[in-house]
């Protein structure tokens, strides 16, 4: 037996049991399925209740997104990196090989606070890290590799 949720043309909802969908169709065709409220034989199965979509899938997708976003930033196109690098260089003073020295002076307030860029050896960079002096390393872009 299958329980069907039915409704007549006047949207009177009711339930009825049928042996099969074929049995239901057959009885309906013969006007044997009657609305208990108004006697109408224009009866059909009610539309299915809309499926409930929980937010769970979306939440987990949103949680996963920050990682993806970071990935997108790190794997930015060469053009984007080039632009970013150009902006950084434009807005900072070129100090060349005195970078580590200047960075240290700025950090210890021995020089005017400003953004600088230049070159540092591996040892110099390590020294800055050890002294807790913040600095960033600019990527060497594919277009600059020759
Ligand atoms: Zn009815």
């Amino acid at each position: 037996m299958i329980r069907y949720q039915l409704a007549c043309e006047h949207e009177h909802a009711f339930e009825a049991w049928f042996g099969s969908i074929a049995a239901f169709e057959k009885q309906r065709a013969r006007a044997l399925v009657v609305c208990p409220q108004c006697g109408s034989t224009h009866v059909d199965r009610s539309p299915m209740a809309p499926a409930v979509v929980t937010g769970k899938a979306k939440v987990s997708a949103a949680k996963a997104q920050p990682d993806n976003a970071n990935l997108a930033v790190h794997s930015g196109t060469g053009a984007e990196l080039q632009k970013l690098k150009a902006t950084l260089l434009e807005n900072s003073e070129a100090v060349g090989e005195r970078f580590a020295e200047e960075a240290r002076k700025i950090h210890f307030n021995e020089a005017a606070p400003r953004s600088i860029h230049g070159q540092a050896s591996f040892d110099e960079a390590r020294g800055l890290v050890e002294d807790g002096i913040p600095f960033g390393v600019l990527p060497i872009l594919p277009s600059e590799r020759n």
Side-chain angles (χ1 to χ4, degrees):
M1 297 287 279
I2 304 164
R3 189 179 68 169
Y4 286 125
Q5 188 74 45
L6 305 172
C8 77
E9 66 196 299
H10 306 297
E11 293 178 0
H12 297 138
F14 61 101
E15 287 178 354
W17 292 86
F18 297 92
S20 65
I21 186 157
F24 163 71
E25 293 294 347
K26 207 165 155 184
Q27 290 184 45
R28 188 176 67 148
R30 291 182 183 176
L32 294 173
V33 183
V34 181
C35 171
Q37 285 187 60
C38 67
S40 168
T41 55
H42 294 278
V43 170
D44 207 346
R45 283 187 292 161
S46 297
M48 293 277 199
V52 177
V53 179
T54 68
K56 277 187 182 176
K58 279 185 181 175
V59 169
S60 59
K63 272 183 188 169
Q65 220 151 21
D67 290 338
N68 293 341
N70 286 340
L71 201 66
V73 170
H74 291 313
S75 65
T77 65
E80 283 166 351
L81 282 174
Q82 210 156 16
K83 201 175 158 188
L84 178 70
K85 191 172 176 178
T87 306
L88 284 171
L89 295 181
E90 270 173 33
N91 295 303
S92 61
E93 185 188 326
V95 294
E97 290 176 359
R98 291 184 295 110
F99 177 80
E101 188 190 328
E102 286 299 316
R104 189 166 267 111
K105 277 186 190 170
I106 292 165
H107 185 72
F108 293 110
N109 297 316
E110 290 166 14
R114 65 202 193 279
S115 295
I116 58 170
H117 69 266
Q119 295 87 46
S121 68
F122 179 76
D123 283 342
E124 285 172 335
R126 195 172 54 186
L128 292 176
V129 171
E130 281 168 359
D131 291 344
I133 299 164
F135 67 98
V137 177
L138 290 171
I140 293 169
L141 301 170
S143 59
E144 297 167 334
R145 260 183 218 138
N146 281 318

